[in-house]
Amino acid sequence: MKVMNAATFTVEREDHTVGNVIRMQLHRDPSVLFAGYRLPHPLQYRLVVKIQTTSQSSPMQAYNLAITDLIKELDHLKAVFEHETSQKQADYY
Amino acid sequence: MAIEKVYIANNTSVIQDEVLAHRLGLLPIKADPRLFDYKSEEENANEKNTIVFKIDVVCTRKGERVLNSSVTSDQMKWLPEGSEMPFNTMTKFTSFGSSQKNLPGLPAEGISCQYPDIIVAKLRPGQAIELEGHAIKGSGNIHAKWSPVATARYRMLPEVNLMEDIQGKLAEELVQKCPTGVFDIEDVGTVKKAIVARPRNCTLCRECVRGTDWDKRVQLTRVKDHFIFTIESTGALRPEVLFTEAIKILNEKCHRIITELS
């Protein structure tokens, strides 16, 4: 397919759990023109992510950036959550 | 951690072997699965990947009374030294190097079922059940018995707006209508005004907009980026631990994807 700055990434052993999150993170990138994911077959455990970017960056870059941003966001979420719960008095059970 | 293999020495009850084994698998076990390792089929069962339980109950009649007519989960005893079966041989089904009693992180009372009053089987006089259950670590996507979460749900925060000032009798009527106590009366000078005190309690039952003209006075929407998650645990791990473990799993997936690329 002769489309500039477009790539498809196939990820084995993954499903909507990461696919949807990566897609949403890619949408937030202003240099990404097109981002989508699909599971080619529900019985086969693999994922296909299709990305098209502007000439500013490459699909590879956008993909890497999205995943590193996601990892940072998850770490931040975990830190904030642990901070908040340690402040509340825990008297269950 | 949930019982995966059941070695039945004696089962003279009405409950079939496979039904009994199925029920034992679903019992929630009060052990932190992070202290144990996964066990594959070919590996030997040792103290790092297996927990052994035994049930040995005989139903007898003592005069008028019947003892042990129901087998409850607190009659399932933990064997920290390993399996005792098969009875006649020296090599048992598990090869424990050391006792599990000294495993760090275990609760003081030892490992048991999370709830002591779950009825596993019912017996009549003369019937007996003698079996051993081996529990291993597993993931909830293979069988629900390994899932540490009872229910997990989320909803968005409801937003309740009062379009106009509601005073006096109308305010009292509004406070009465809401079954979860979202509204409150505030005395401003001599006038009673209704305010939205606890929007988080709102279940969106729409009682406050029933009746004539009420839907012009109260507006119900949802805040699009505020989520209220409710996580119930089966008991092995605390709910906040479950949340952090879930984030760790998502993190691992992202790491794995990015290392696959490079």
Side-chain angles (χ1 to χ4, degrees):
Chain A
M1 287 273 287
K2 299 288 188 264
V3 182
M4 295 300 296
N5 289 319
T8 47
F9 298 88
T10 310
V11 187
E12 297 277 339
R13 319 291 291 162
E14 286 301 340
D15 62 349
H16 301 280
T17 310
V18 275
N20 201 15
V21 184
I22 293 182
R23 180 192 62 98
M24 299 230 64
Q25 187 64 30
L26 282 166
H27 280 318
R28 288 188 215 150
D29 189 347
S31 72
V32 165
L33 288 177
F34 176 89
Y37 84 100
R38 61 161 183 248
L39 271 67
H41 195 279
L43 291 176
Q44 286 172 353
Y45 200 21
R46 79 168 67 99
L47 174 65
V48 168
V49 182
K50 198 161 176 179
I51 307 177
Q52 184 185 5
T53 58
T54 59
S55 40
Q56 277 180 343
S57 83
S58 79
M60 195 73 179
Q61 246 184 331
Y63 190 61
N64 272 324
L65 186 64
I67 298 186
T68 37
D69 278 348
L70 264 181
I71 294 178
K72 267 188 245 155
E73 224 178 291
L74 287 173
D75 284 332
H76 171 70
L77 178 63
K78 185 151 78 99
V80 171
F81 183 76
E82 279 175 345
H83 176 73
E84 287 292 318
T85 48
S86 63
Q87 289 198 334
K88 304 277 181 203
Q89 291 297 87
D91 47 1
Y92 309 109
Y93 304 93
Chain B
M1 302 297 295
I3 292 183
E4 170 84 348
K5 284 206 164 64
V6 178
Y7 296 91
I8 304 185
N10 188 11
N11 176 19
T12 42
S13 74
V14 228
I15 319 283
Q16 296 94 337
D17 289 346
E18 60 268 22
V19 175
L20 188 56
H22 180 239
R23 289 176 70 81
L24 287 171
L26 293 172
L27 290 175
I29 297 183
K30 191 164 74 176
D32 188 341
R34 297 172 294 183
L35 303 171
F36 295 90
D37 303 328
Y38 283 99
K39 171 184 173 306
S40 63
E41 267 301 312
E42 306 83 30
E43 264 181 68
N44 276 337
N46 55 38
E47 68 271 18
K48 296 245 65 194
N49 57 29
T50 314
I51 304 179
V52 182
F53 294 97
K54 114 172 148 167
I55 297 185
D56 190 358
V57 177
V58 181
C59 180
T60 51
R61 179 177 280 140
K62 196 167 181 179
E64 281 297 314
R65 287 183 11 185
V66 177
L67 300 171
N68 293 330
S69 66
S70 49
V71 179
T72 47
S73 54
D74 60 352
Q75 290 174 312
M76 191 168 76
K77 304 268 174 291
W78 175 44
L79 299 177
E81 315 291 337
S83 172
E84 291 170 356
M85 287 190 182
F87 293 124
N88 335 353
T89 62
M90 279 306 287
T91 44
K92 306 289 178 189
F93 286 128
T94 61
S95 31
F96 276 33
S98 58
S99 168
Q100 272 180 333
K101 270 200 275 253
N102 310 325
L103 207 61
L106 278 188
E109 326 76 51
I111 303 178
S112 58
C113 184
Q114 181 73 35
Y115 305 99
D117 51 357
I118 302 176
I119 297 182
V120 176
K122 289 199 170 186
L123 302 172
R124 288 294 296 159
Q127 294 175 345
I129 290 183
E130 188 180 346
L131 53 79
E132 231 180 51
H134 293 198
I136 53 177
K137 185 168 162 168
S139 169
N141 60 354
I142 306 295
H143 194 291
K145 66 188 177 190
W146 278 301
S147 174
V149 184
T151 331
R153 58 185 178 275
Y154 72 92
R155 61 190 178 112
M156 290 187 268
L157 181 71
E159 194 176 325
V160 187
N161 287 327
L162 296 172
M163 307 306 307
E164 38 177 68
D165 265 349
I166 303 190
Q167 298 172 358
K169 286 224 69 171
L170 277 184
E172 285 186 19
E173 197 184 322
L174 185 60
V175 173
Q176 284 284 343
K177 266 179 182 237
C178 182
T180 43
V182 173
F183 300 101
D184 243 351
I185 301 261
E186 199 181 75
D187 289 319
V188 174
T190 50
V191 167
K192 286 187 194 288
K193 244 176 58 144
I195 53 158
V196 181
R198 293 161 288 264
R200 204 168 156 140
N201 291 2
C202 180
T203 54
L204 284 195
C205 63
R206 292 207 146 31
E207 269 296 313
C208 43
V209 290
R210 255 181 61 181
T212 50
D213 285 341
W214 274 109
D215 48 358
K216 298 198 189 59
R217 298 187 196 125
V218 185
Q219 195 191 51
L220 293 171
T221 49
R222 285 200 187 276
V223 181
K224 290 284 181 272
D225 55 358
H226 185 132
F227 295 91
I228 300 176
F229 271 84
T230 313
I231 303 178
E232 287 176 28
S233 155
T234 51
L237 294 168
R238 305 230 326 217
E240 56 266 21
V241 173
L242 285 175
F243 188 84
T244 41
E245 288 295 315
I247 297 184
K248 271 188 218 162
I249 290 177
L250 207 51
N251 224 337
E252 259 176 52
K253 282 189 191 263
C254 290
H255 274 293
R256 206 185 325 141
I257 291 185
I258 211 168
T259 48
E260 260 181 39
L261 263 185
S262 52

